[in-house]
Amino acid sequence: MEPKAACPAAAPLVERKFHVLVGVTGSVAALKLPLLVSKLLDIPGLEVAVVTTERAKHFYSPQDVPVTLYSDADEWETCVIRAWDRSKPLLFCPAMNTAMWEHPITAQQLHQLKAFGYVEIPCVAKKLVCGDKGLGAMAEVGTIVDKVKEVLFQHSGFQQS
């Protein structure tokens, strides 16, 4: 019997590994990190890594995140984004209080990220922890997971379930 040549494209999609890097910063939205990572890990063939700021860890327990956490003490997130292979999708989920959301600088920054080809998962309106009512809350975990699945399907033929 001859050995088979390794051909990643011929491998069943469930065996193929898709890598997702989640970056989390010091926003109250970091509370959702353990649930987000757990739901992402439910996607067959998906591997997840997390880069977190120390401030973000104030909002969740690192023991509740079922993957290795990489510290952002050296500003990895900024460096990772600047070194990102722009042929690969990058999704971002803004989260901030309503006053910050409504500031004109935020609109400029969102425009710039979209100009780079990055995909926004829009924030939602609700009563925020700070007491504000309005836009600024990070999208719900289910919305984020659905968008990840959609982008995987669009960019790689990933089979949605």
mmCIF file of all heavy atoms in Angstrom, residues 89-143:
data_model
loop_
_atom_site.group_PDB
_atom_site.id
_atom_site.type_symbol
_atom_site.label_atom_id
_atom_site.label_comp_id
_atom_site.label_asym_id
_atom_site.label_seq_id
_atom_site.Cartn_x
_atom_site.Cartn_y
_atom_site.Cartn_z
ATOM 1 N N PRO A 89 -10.040 37.226 7.324
ATOM 2 C CA PRO A 89 -11.022 38.120 7.947
ATOM 3 C C PRO A 89 -10.628 38.552 9.354
ATOM 4 O O PRO A 89 -10.007 37.797 10.093
ATOM 5 C CB PRO A 89 -12.302 37.276 7.976
ATOM 6 C CG PRO A 89 -11.850 35.867 7.870
ATOM 7 C CD PRO A 89 -10.547 35.872 7.141
ATOM 8 N N LEU A 90 -10.964 39.777 9.683
ATOM 9 C CA LEU A 90 -10.801 40.302 11.032
ATOM 10 C C LEU A 90 -12.132 40.928 11.411
ATOM 11 O O LEU A 90 -12.635 41.803 10.703
ATOM 12 C CB LEU A 90 -9.683 41.343 11.091
ATOM 13 C CG LEU A 90 -9.355 41.842 12.500
ATOM 14 C CD1 LEU A 90 -7.873 42.136 12.627
ATOM 15 C CD2 LEU A 90 -10.174 43.051 12.904
ATOM 16 N N LEU A 91 -12.726 40.432 12.474
ATOM 17 C CA LEU A 91 -14.012 40.941 12.961
ATOM 18 C C LEU A 91 -13.764 41.717 14.234
ATOM 19 O O LEU A 91 -12.901 41.341 15.031
ATOM 20 C CB LEU A 91 -14.970 39.787 13.256
ATOM 21 C CG LEU A 91 -15.546 39.035 12.059
ATOM 22 C CD1 LEU A 91 -14.506 38.232 11.332
ATOM 23 C CD2 LEU A 91 -16.679 38.141 12.513
ATOM 24 N N PHE A 92 -14.520 42.784 14.442
ATOM 25 C CA PHE A 92 -14.396 43.536 15.686
ATOM 26 C C PHE A 92 -15.780 43.874 16.226
ATOM 27 O O PHE A 92 -16.719 44.065 15.473
ATOM 28 C CB PHE A 92 -13.526 44.788 15.504
ATOM 29 C CG PHE A 92 -14.120 45.841 14.594
ATOM 30 C CD1 PHE A 92 -14.806 46.921 15.121
ATOM 31 C CD2 PHE A 92 -13.961 45.755 13.222
ATOM 32 C CE1 PHE A 92 -15.341 47.900 14.290
ATOM 33 C CE2 PHE A 92 -14.484 46.726 12.382
ATOM 34 C CZ PHE A 92 -15.178 47.801 12.915
ATOM 35 N N CYS A 93 -15.851 43.879 17.552
ATOM 36 C CA CYS A 93 -17.111 44.110 18.258
ATOM 37 C C CYS A 93 -16.939 45.309 19.188
ATOM 38 O O CYS A 93 -16.439 45.142 20.303
ATOM 39 C CB CYS A 93 -17.501 42.897 19.090
ATOM 40 S SG CYS A 93 -17.538 41.346 18.196
ATOM 41 N N PRO A 94 -17.342 46.491 18.761
ATOM 42 C CA PRO A 94 -17.173 47.650 19.644
ATOM 43 C C PRO A 94 -18.042 47.535 20.897
ATOM 44 O O PRO A 94 -19.132 46.965 20.861
ATOM 45 C CB PRO A 94 -17.604 48.837 18.792
ATOM 46 C CG PRO A 94 -18.186 48.296 17.545
ATOM 47 C CD PRO A 94 -17.942 46.826 17.494
ATOM 48 N N ALA A 95 -17.521 48.074 21.988
ATOM 49 C CA ALA A 95 -18.266 48.117 23.253
ATOM 50 C C ALA A 95 -17.764 49.311 24.042
ATOM 51 O O ALA A 95 -16.562 49.427 24.302
ATOM 52 C CB ALA A 95 -18.052 46.827 24.035
ATOM 53 N N MET A 96 -18.678 50.193 24.401
ATOM 54 C CA MET A 96 -18.311 51.398 25.147
ATOM 55 C C MET A 96 -19.576 52.053 25.662
ATOM 56 O O MET A 96 -20.680 51.644 25.305
ATOM 57 C CB MET A 96 -17.536 52.358 24.245
ATOM 58 C CG MET A 96 -18.327 52.850 23.046
ATOM 59 S SD MET A 96 -17.307 53.529 21.725
ATOM 60 C CE MET A 96 -16.666 52.059 20.977
ATOM 61 N N ASN A 97 -19.418 53.077 26.503
ATOM 62 C CA ASN A 97 -20.629 53.759 26.951
ATOM 63 C C ASN A 97 -21.167 54.643 25.826
ATOM 64 O O ASN A 97 -20.493 54.906 24.833
ATOM 65 C CB ASN A 97 -20.412 54.507 28.274
ATOM 66 C CG ASN A 97 -19.561 55.751 28.135
ATOM 67 O OD1 ASN A 97 -19.584 56.450 27.136
ATOM 68 N ND2 ASN A 97 -18.781 56.032 29.159
ATOM 69 N N THR A 98 -22.395 55.072 25.979
ATOM 70 C CA THR A 98 -23.088 55.793 24.917
ATOM 71 C C THR A 98 -22.391 57.100 24.552
ATOM 72 O O THR A 98 -22.290 57.443 23.368
ATOM 73 C CB THR A 98 -24.558 56.051 25.324
ATOM 74 O OG1 THR A 98 -25.167 54.787 25.614
ATOM 75 C CG2 THR A 98 -25.340 56.727 24.211
ATOM 76 N N ALA A 99 -21.873 57.829 25.539
ATOM 77 C CA ALA A 99 -21.177 59.089 25.242
ATOM 78 C C ALA A 99 -19.957 58.831 24.367
ATOM 79 O O ALA A 99 -19.690 59.574 23.412
ATOM 80 C CB ALA A 99 -20.770 59.788 26.535
ATOM 81 N N MET A 100 -19.223 57.773 24.661
ATOM 82 C CA MET A 100 -18.065 57.418 23.837
ATOM 83 C C MET A 100 -18.515 57.010 22.438
ATOM 84 O O MET A 100 -17.898 57.389 21.434
ATOM 85 C CB MET A 100 -17.267 56.291 24.487
ATOM 86 C CG MET A 100 -16.575 56.692 25.770
ATOM 87 S SD MET A 100 -15.890 55.279 26.651
ATOM 88 C CE MET A 100 -14.535 54.828 25.592
ATOM 89 N N TRP A 101 -19.587 56.213 22.372
ATOM 90 C CA TRP A 101 -20.099 55.760 21.084
ATOM 91 C C TRP A 101 -20.497 56.943 20.206
ATOM 92 O O TRP A 101 -20.247 56.945 18.995
ATOM 93 C CB TRP A 101 -21.283 54.817 21.277
ATOM 94 C CG TRP A 101 -21.850 54.367 19.966
ATOM 95 C CD1 TRP A 101 -22.997 54.797 19.385
ATOM 96 C CD2 TRP A 101 -21.258 53.446 19.051
ATOM 97 N NE1 TRP A 101 -23.164 54.192 18.160
ATOM 98 C CE2 TRP A 101 -22.103 53.351 17.944
ATOM 99 C CE3 TRP A 101 -20.098 52.685 19.071
ATOM 100 C CZ2 TRP A 101 -21.837 52.530 16.846
ATOM 101 C CZ3 TRP A 101 -19.828 51.869 17.982
ATOM 102 C CH2 TRP A 101 -20.681 51.790 16.892
ATOM 103 N N GLU A 102 -21.105 57.960 20.801
ATOM 104 C CA GLU A 102 -21.609 59.102 20.030
ATOM 105 C C GLU A 102 -20.525 60.122 19.685
ATOM 106 O O GLU A 102 -20.770 61.037 18.910
ATOM 107 C CB GLU A 102 -22.749 59.768 20.795
ATOM 108 C CG GLU A 102 -23.976 58.872 20.878
ATOM 109 C CD GLU A 102 -25.083 59.427 21.761
ATOM 110 O OE1 GLU A 102 -24.845 60.405 22.508
ATOM 111 O OE2 GLU A 102 -26.190 58.864 21.693
ATOM 112 N N HIS A 103 -19.321 59.974 20.223
ATOM 113 C CA HIS A 103 -18.254 60.928 19.945
ATOM 114 C C HIS A 103 -17.806 60.796 18.486
ATOM 115 O O HIS A 103 -17.678 59.680 17.975
ATOM 116 C CB HIS A 103 -17.061 60.691 20.878
ATOM 117 C CG HIS A 103 -16.127 61.850 20.914
ATOM 118 N ND1 HIS A 103 -15.225 62.097 19.900
ATOM 119 C CD2 HIS A 103 -15.982 62.841 21.811
ATOM 120 C CE1 HIS A 103 -14.552 63.181 20.175
ATOM 121 N NE2 HIS A 103 -14.982 63.665 21.336
ATOM 122 N N PRO A 104 -17.552 61.902 17.799
ATOM 123 C CA PRO A 104 -17.157 61.840 16.389
ATOM 124 C C PRO A 104 -15.868 61.041 16.129
ATOM 125 O O PRO A 104 -15.710 60.464 15.052
ATOM 126 C CB PRO A 104 -16.957 63.304 15.988
ATOM 127 C CG PRO A 104 -17.450 64.137 17.104
ATOM 128 C CD PRO A 104 -17.709 63.259 18.290
ATOM 129 N N ILE A 105 -14.978 60.971 17.092
ATOM 130 C CA ILE A 105 -13.751 60.181 16.900
ATOM 131 C C ILE A 105 -14.088 58.707 16.703
ATOM 132 O O ILE A 105 -13.464 58.016 15.902
ATOM 133 C CB ILE A 105 -12.780 60.372 18.088
ATOM 134 C CG1 ILE A 105 -12.205 61.784 18.062
ATOM 135 C CG2 ILE A 105 -11.667 59.330 18.057
ATOM 136 C CD1 ILE A 105 -11.346 62.121 19.267
ATOM 137 N N THR A 106 -15.108 58.228 17.404
ATOM 138 C CA THR A 106 -15.507 56.821 17.268
ATOM 139 C C THR A 106 -15.941 56.530 15.837
ATOM 140 O O THR A 106 -15.540 55.522 15.254
ATOM 141 C CB THR A 106 -16.625 56.480 18.271
ATOM 142 O OG1 THR A 106 -16.156 56.761 19.591
ATOM 143 C CG2 THR A 106 -17.042 55.019 18.161
ATOM 144 N N ALA A 107 -16.743 57.412 15.257
ATOM 145 C CA ALA A 107 -17.184 57.227 13.872
ATOM 146 C C ALA A 107 -15.984 57.195 12.928
ATOM 147 O O ALA A 107 -15.924 56.374 12.001
ATOM 148 C CB ALA A 107 -18.162 58.324 13.470
ATOM 149 N N GLN A 108 -14.996 58.052 13.162
ATOM 150 C CA GLN A 108 -13.789 58.067 12.327
ATOM 151 C C GLN A 108 -13.024 56.753 12.453
ATOM 152 O O GLN A 108 -12.560 56.197 11.454
ATOM 153 C CB GLN A 108 -12.877 59.232 12.719
ATOM 154 C CG GLN A 108 -13.421 60.588 12.355
ATOM 155 C CD GLN A 108 -12.535 61.713 12.888
ATOM 156 O OE1 GLN A 108 -11.623 61.493 13.683
ATOM 157 N NE2 GLN A 108 -12.822 62.930 12.463
ATOM 158 N N GLN A 109 -12.884 56.275 13.688
ATOM 159 C CA GLN A 109 -12.150 55.031 13.908
ATOM 160 C C GLN A 109 -12.871 53.836 13.277
ATOM 161 O O GLN A 109 -12.234 52.969 12.674
ATOM 162 C CB GLN A 109 -11.923 54.812 15.402
ATOM 163 C CG GLN A 109 -10.966 55.825 15.992
ATOM 164 C CD GLN A 109 -10.915 55.792 17.498
ATOM 165 O OE1 GLN A 109 -11.861 55.374 18.167
ATOM 166 N NE2 GLN A 109 -9.803 56.252 18.056
ATOM 167 N N LEU A 110 -14.198 53.791 13.411
ATOM 168 C CA LEU A 110 -14.961 52.707 12.784
ATOM 169 C C LEU A 110 -14.812 52.756 11.272
ATOM 170 O O LEU A 110 -14.633 51.715 10.621
ATOM 171 C CB LEU A 110 -16.439 52.801 13.166
ATOM 172 C CG LEU A 110 -16.790 52.482 14.611
ATOM 173 C CD1 LEU A 110 -18.244 52.819 14.891
ATOM 174 C CD2 LEU A 110 -16.504 51.035 14.927
ATOM 175 N N HIS A 111 -14.878 53.952 10.706
ATOM 176 C CA HIS A 111 -14.712 54.116 9.262
ATOM 177 C C HIS A 111 -13.347 53.591 8.822
ATOM 178 O O HIS A 111 -13.238 52.894 7.805
ATOM 179 C CB HIS A 111 -14.891 55.585 8.874
ATOM 180 C CG HIS A 111 -14.658 55.844 7.426
ATOM 181 N ND1 HIS A 111 -15.591 55.527 6.458
ATOM 182 C CD2 HIS A 111 -13.584 56.357 6.773
ATOM 183 C CE1 HIS A 111 -15.096 55.835 5.268
ATOM 184 N NE2 HIS A 111 -13.878 56.344 5.440
ATOM 185 N N GLN A 112 -12.309 53.902 9.579
ATOM 186 C CA GLN A 112 -10.955 53.463 9.221
ATOM 187 C C GLN A 112 -10.833 51.945 9.276
ATOM 188 O O GLN A 112 -10.263 51.327 8.379
ATOM 189 C CB GLN A 112 -9.910 54.101 10.135
ATOM 190 C CG GLN A 112 -8.486 53.783 9.751
ATOM 191 C CD GLN A 112 -8.139 54.277 8.351
ATOM 192 O OE1 GLN A 112 -8.169 55.473 8.101
ATOM 193 N NE2 GLN A 112 -7.818 53.374 7.441
ATOM 194 N N LEU A 113 -11.366 51.331 10.328
ATOM 195 C CA LEU A 113 -11.312 49.871 10.434
ATOM 196 C C LEU A 113 -12.036 49.213 9.259
ATOM 197 O O LEU A 113 -11.543 48.244 8.672
ATOM 198 C CB LEU A 113 -11.914 49.407 11.764
ATOM 199 C CG LEU A 113 -11.114 49.757 13.018
ATOM 200 C CD1 LEU A 113 -11.923 49.444 14.264
ATOM 201 C CD2 LEU A 113 -9.782 49.027 13.040
ATOM 202 N N LYS A 114 -13.192 49.746 8.902
ATOM 203 C CA LYS A 114 -13.946 49.195 7.769
ATOM 204 C C LYS A 114 -13.197 49.423 6.456
ATOM 205 O O LYS A 114 -13.231 48.571 5.568
ATOM 206 C CB LYS A 114 -15.337 49.815 7.715
ATOM 207 C CG LYS A 114 -16.231 49.383 8.861
ATOM 208 C CD LYS A 114 -17.563 50.099 8.766
ATOM 209 C CE LYS A 114 -18.398 49.914 9.985
ATOM 210 N NZ LYS A 114 -19.655 50.679 9.914
ATOM 211 N N ALA A 115 -12.498 50.554 6.341
ATOM 212 C CA ALA A 115 -11.709 50.836 5.139
ATOM 213 C C ALA A 115 -10.586 49.810 4.968
ATOM 214 O O ALA A 115 -10.175 49.510 3.849
ATOM 215 C CB ALA A 115 -11.139 52.254 5.191
ATOM 216 N N PHE A 116 -10.096 49.266 6.070
ATOM 217 C CA PHE A 116 -9.087 48.209 6.011
ATOM 218 C C PHE A 116 -9.701 46.875 5.580
ATOM 219 O O PHE A 116 -8.992 45.902 5.373
ATOM 220 C CB PHE A 116 -8.412 48.013 7.368
ATOM 221 C CG PHE A 116 -7.549 49.151 7.819
ATOM 222 C CD1 PHE A 116 -7.461 49.444 9.167
ATOM 223 C CD2 PHE A 116 -6.807 49.921 6.938
ATOM 224 C CE1 PHE A 116 -6.656 50.481 9.621
ATOM 225 C CE2 PHE A 116 -6.006 50.959 7.374
ATOM 226 C CZ PHE A 116 -5.926 51.240 8.725
ATOM 227 N N GLY A 117 -11.022 46.811 5.517
ATOM 228 C CA GLY A 117 -11.701 45.575 5.154
ATOM 229 C C GLY A 117 -12.141 44.757 6.351
ATOM 230 O O GLY A 117 -12.589 43.630 6.206
ATOM 231 N N TYR A 118 -12.004 45.307 7.548
ATOM 232 C CA TYR A 118 -12.409 44.597 8.755
ATOM 233 C C TYR A 118 -13.931 44.638 8.879
ATOM 234 O O TYR A 118 -14.586 45.572 8.413
ATOM 235 C CB TYR A 118 -11.748 45.195 9.990
ATOM 236 C CG TYR A 118 -10.234 45.201 9.938
ATOM 237 C CD1 TYR A 118 -9.505 46.100 10.682
ATOM 238 C CD2 TYR A 118 -9.517 44.311 9.136
ATOM 239 C CE1 TYR A 118 -8.118 46.109 10.650
ATOM 240 C CE2 TYR A 118 -8.130 44.315 9.101
ATOM 241 C CZ TYR A 118 -7.435 45.216 9.858
ATOM 242 O OH TYR A 118 -6.069 45.224 9.821
ATOM 243 N N VAL A 119 -14.485 43.626 9.519
ATOM 244 C CA VAL A 119 -15.935 43.457 9.612
ATOM 245 C C VAL A 119 -16.416 43.848 11.002
ATOM 246 O O VAL A 119 -15.986 43.259 12.003
ATOM 247 C CB VAL A 119 -16.326 41.990 9.309
ATOM 248 C CG1 VAL A 119 -17.826 41.793 9.462
ATOM 249 C CG2 VAL A 119 -15.847 41.582 7.911
ATOM 250 N N GLU A 120 -17.313 44.805 11.050
ATOM 251 C CA GLU A 120 -17.891 45.230 12.325
ATOM 252 C C GLU A 120 -19.083 44.351 12.677
ATOM 253 O O GLU A 120 -19.933 44.087 11.834
ATOM 254 C CB GLU A 120 -18.350 46.684 12.246
ATOM 255 C CG GLU A 120 -19.023 47.171 13.518
ATOM 256 C CD GLU A 120 -19.623 48.562 13.404
ATOM 257 O OE1 GLU A 120 -19.672 49.113 12.292
ATOM 258 O OE2 GLU A 120 -20.050 49.085 14.437
ATOM 259 N N ILE A 121 -19.111 43.913 13.918
ATOM 260 C CA ILE A 121 -20.310 43.299 14.482
ATOM 261 C C ILE A 121 -20.877 44.395 15.385
ATOM 262 O O ILE A 121 -20.343 44.641 16.472
ATOM 263 C CB ILE A 121 -19.993 42.006 15.255
ATOM 264 C CG1 ILE A 121 -19.297 40.995 14.335
ATOM 265 C CG2 ILE A 121 -21.277 41.422 15.847
ATOM 266 C CD1 ILE A 121 -18.844 39.727 15.021
ATOM 267 N N PRO A 122 -21.902 45.103 14.903
ATOM 268 C CA PRO A 122 -22.338 46.335 15.566
ATOM 269 C C PRO A 122 -22.767 46.146 17.019
ATOM 270 O O PRO A 122 -23.297 45.101 17.402
ATOM 271 C CB PRO A 122 -23.525 46.802 14.720
ATOM 272 C CG PRO A 122 -23.377 46.096 13.414
ATOM 273 C CD PRO A 122 -22.705 44.785 13.732
ATOM 274 N N CYS A 123 -22.526 47.202 17.778
ATOM 275 C CA CYS A 123 -23.006 47.211 19.161
ATOM 276 C C CYS A 123 -24.528 47.356 19.149
ATOM 277 O O CYS A 123 -25.135 47.604 18.103
ATOM 278 C CB CYS A 123 -22.335 48.342 19.950
ATOM 279 S SG CYS A 123 -22.742 49.998 19.400
ATOM 280 N N VAL A 124 -25.116 47.177 20.309
ATOM 281 C CA VAL A 124 -26.573 47.241 20.434
ATOM 282 C C VAL A 124 -26.955 48.281 21.485
ATOM 283 O O VAL A 124 -26.133 48.677 22.315
ATOM 284 C CB VAL A 124 -27.170 45.858 20.805
ATOM 285 C CG1 VAL A 124 -26.938 44.863 19.687
ATOM 286 C CG2 VAL A 124 -26.605 45.337 22.112
ATOM 287 N N ALA A 125 -28.195 48.686 21.430
ATOM 288 C CA ALA A 125 -28.720 49.655 22.388
ATOM 289 C C ALA A 125 -29.368 48.912 23.552
ATOM 290 O O ALA A 125 -30.097 47.940 23.351
ATOM 291 C CB ALA A 125 -29.738 50.567 21.722
ATOM 292 N N LYS A 126 -29.066 49.365 24.755
ATOM 293 C CA LYS A 126 -29.715 48.845 25.956
ATOM 294 C C LYS A 126 -29.265 49.700 27.134
ATOM 295 O O LYS A 126 -28.469 50.620 26.974
ATOM 296 C CB LYS A 126 -29.404 47.372 26.178
ATOM 297 C CG LYS A 126 -27.973 47.044 26.554
ATOM 298 C CD LYS A 126 -27.834 45.538 26.734
ATOM 299 C CE LYS A 126 -26.606 45.169 27.522
ATOM 300 N NZ LYS A 126 -26.478 43.738 27.717
ATOM 301 N N LYS A 127 -29.741 49.391 28.313
ATOM 302 C CA LYS A 127 -29.255 50.074 29.502
ATOM 303 C C LYS A 127 -27.898 49.473 29.851
ATOM 304 O O LYS A 127 -27.777 48.272 30.088
ATOM 305 C CB LYS A 127 -30.213 49.940 30.674
ATOM 306 C CG LYS A 127 -29.757 50.744 31.879
ATOM 307 C CD LYS A 127 -30.757 50.765 32.999
ATOM 308 C CE LYS A 127 -30.190 51.631 34.115
ATOM 309 N NZ LYS A 127 -31.104 51.707 35.236
ATOM 310 N N LEU A 128 -26.887 50.313 29.867
ATOM 311 C CA LEU A 128 -25.521 49.853 30.111
ATOM 312 C C LEU A 128 -25.223 49.821 31.606
ATOM 313 O O LEU A 128 -25.921 50.434 32.403
ATOM 314 C CB LEU A 128 -24.542 50.777 29.383
ATOM 315 C CG LEU A 128 -24.789 50.956 27.881
ATOM 316 C CD1 LEU A 128 -23.853 52.008 27.304
ATOM 317 C CD2 LEU A 128 -24.625 49.640 27.164
ATOM 318 N N VAL A 129 -24.170 49.132 31.966
ATOM 319 C CA VAL A 129 -23.775 49.008 33.370
ATOM 320 C C VAL A 129 -23.529 50.382 33.995
ATOM 321 O O VAL A 129 -23.832 50.603 35.161
ATOM 322 C CB VAL A 129 -22.521 48.109 33.499
ATOM 323 C CG1 VAL A 129 -21.976 48.119 34.907
ATOM 324 C CG2 VAL A 129 -22.855 46.692 33.065
ATOM 325 N N CYS A 130 -23.012 51.321 33.198
ATOM 326 C CA CYS A 130 -22.723 52.661 33.714
ATOM 327 C C CYS A 130 -23.993 53.482 33.934
ATOM 328 O O CYS A 130 -23.926 54.584 34.478
ATOM 329 C CB CYS A 130 -21.790 53.413 32.769
ATOM 330 S SG CYS A 130 -22.515 53.744 31.149
ATOM 331 N N GLY A 131 -25.151 52.952 33.515
ATOM 332 C CA GLY A 131 -26.413 53.650 33.698
ATOM 333 C C GLY A 131 -26.914 54.326 32.436
ATOM 334 O O GLY A 131 -28.077 54.720 32.365
ATOM 335 N N ASP A 132 -26.054 54.490 31.438
ATOM 336 C CA ASP A 132 -26.488 55.076 30.165
ATOM 337 C C ASP A 132 -27.521 54.167 29.509
ATOM 338 O O ASP A 132 -27.482 52.951 29.674
ATOM 339 C CB ASP A 132 -25.311 55.215 29.184
ATOM 340 C CG ASP A 132 -24.326 56.300 29.562
ATOM 341 O OD1 ASP A 132 -24.608 57.061 30.506
ATOM 342 O OD2 ASP A 132 -23.269 56.374 28.912
ATOM 343 N N LYS A 133 -28.426 54.785 28.751
ATOM 344 C CA LYS A 133 -29.344 54.029 27.903
ATOM 345 C C LYS A 133 -29.055 54.442 26.475
ATOM 346 O O LYS A 133 -29.063 55.625 26.150
ATOM 347 C CB LYS A 133 -30.798 54.380 28.241
ATOM 348 C CG LYS A 133 -31.467 53.423 29.153
ATOM 349 C CD LYS A 133 -32.945 53.711 29.239
ATOM 350 C CE LYS A 133 -33.601 52.622 30.042
ATOM 351 N NZ LYS A 133 -34.995 52.896 30.300
ATOM 352 N N GLY A 134 -28.748 53.451 25.645
ATOM 353 C CA GLY A 134 -28.478 53.753 24.254
ATOM 354 C C GLY A 134 -27.470 52.783 23.669
ATOM 355 O O GLY A 134 -27.182 51.740 24.244
ATOM 356 N N LEU A 135 -26.933 53.156 22.508
ATOM 357 C CA LEU A 135 -25.963 52.310 21.823
ATOM 358 C C LEU A 135 -24.653 52.236 22.591
ATOM 359 O O LEU A 135 -24.268 53.186 23.261
ATOM 360 C CB LEU A 135 -25.701 52.850 20.419
ATOM 361 C CG LEU A 135 -26.785 52.569 19.394
ATOM 362 C CD1 LEU A 135 -26.529 53.361 18.115
ATOM 363 C CD2 LEU A 135 -26.858 51.076 19.092
ATOM 364 N N GLY A 136 -23.992 51.113 22.461
ATOM 365 C CA GLY A 136 -22.687 50.948 23.079
ATOM 366 C C GLY A 136 -22.431 49.555 23.615
ATOM 367 O O GLY A 136 -21.289 49.157 23.780
ATOM 368 N N ALA A 137 -23.488 48.793 23.880
ATOM 369 C CA ALA A 137 -23.298 47.438 24.418
ATOM 370 C C ALA A 137 -22.784 46.515 23.320
ATOM 371 O O ALA A 137 -23.228 46.580 22.174
ATOM 372 C CB ALA A 137 -24.618 46.894 24.966
ATOM 373 N N MET A 138 -21.820 45.661 23.684
ATOM 374 C CA MET A 138 -21.309 44.697 22.715
ATOM 375 C C MET A 138 -22.442 43.802 22.235
ATOM 376 O O MET A 138 -23.362 43.476 22.987
ATOM 377 C CB MET A 138 -20.215 43.834 23.352
ATOM 378 C CG MET A 138 -19.506 42.938 22.353
ATOM 379 S SD MET A 138 -18.138 42.014 23.077
ATOM 380 C CE MET A 138 -19.009 40.663 23.859
ATOM 381 N N ALA A 139 -22.364 43.380 20.992
ATOM 382 C CA ALA A 139 -23.353 42.465 20.426
ATOM 383 C C ALA A 139 -23.480 41.225 21.303
ATOM 384 O O ALA A 139 -22.544 40.848 22.009
ATOM 385 C CB ALA A 139 -22.935 42.070 19.009
ATOM 386 N N GLU A 140 -24.622 40.596 21.241
ATOM 387 C CA GLU A 140 -24.850 39.382 22.015
ATOM 388 C C GLU A 140 -23.949 38.260 21.505
ATOM 389 O O GLU A 140 -23.588 38.214 20.324
ATOM 390 C CB GLU A 140 -26.318 38.957 21.937
ATOM 391 C CG GLU A 140 -27.272 39.946 22.592
ATOM 392 C CD GLU A 140 -27.000 40.158 24.072
ATOM 393 O OE1 GLU A 140 -26.647 39.178 24.773
ATOM 394 O OE2 GLU A 140 -27.132 41.308 24.537
ATOM 395 N N VAL A 141 -23.611 37.341 22.396
ATOM 396 C CA VAL A 141 -22.726 36.228 22.056
ATOM 397 C C VAL A 141 -23.258 35.446 20.848
ATOM 398 O O VAL A 141 -22.503 35.115 19.932
ATOM 399 C CB VAL A 141 -22.501 35.310 23.275
ATOM 400 C CG1 VAL A 141 -21.845 33.992 22.874
ATOM 401 C CG2 VAL A 141 -21.661 36.032 24.327
ATOM 402 N N GLY A 142 -24.538 35.166 20.823
ATOM 403 C CA GLY A 142 -25.121 34.419 19.697
ATOM 404 C C GLY A 142 -24.932 35.136 18.368
ATOM 405 O O GLY A 142 -24.658 34.504 17.342
ATOM 406 N N THR A 143 -25.057 36.453 18.377
ATOM 407 C CA THR A 143 -24.855 37.250 17.168
ATOM 408 C C THR A 143 -23.405 37.143 16.700
ATOM 409 O O THR A 143 -23.128 36.990 15.503
ATOM 410 C CB THR A 143 -25.217 38.725 17.439
ATOM 411 O OG1 THR A 143 -26.578 38.797 17.877
ATOM 412 C CG2 THR A 143 -25.009 39.595 16.211
#
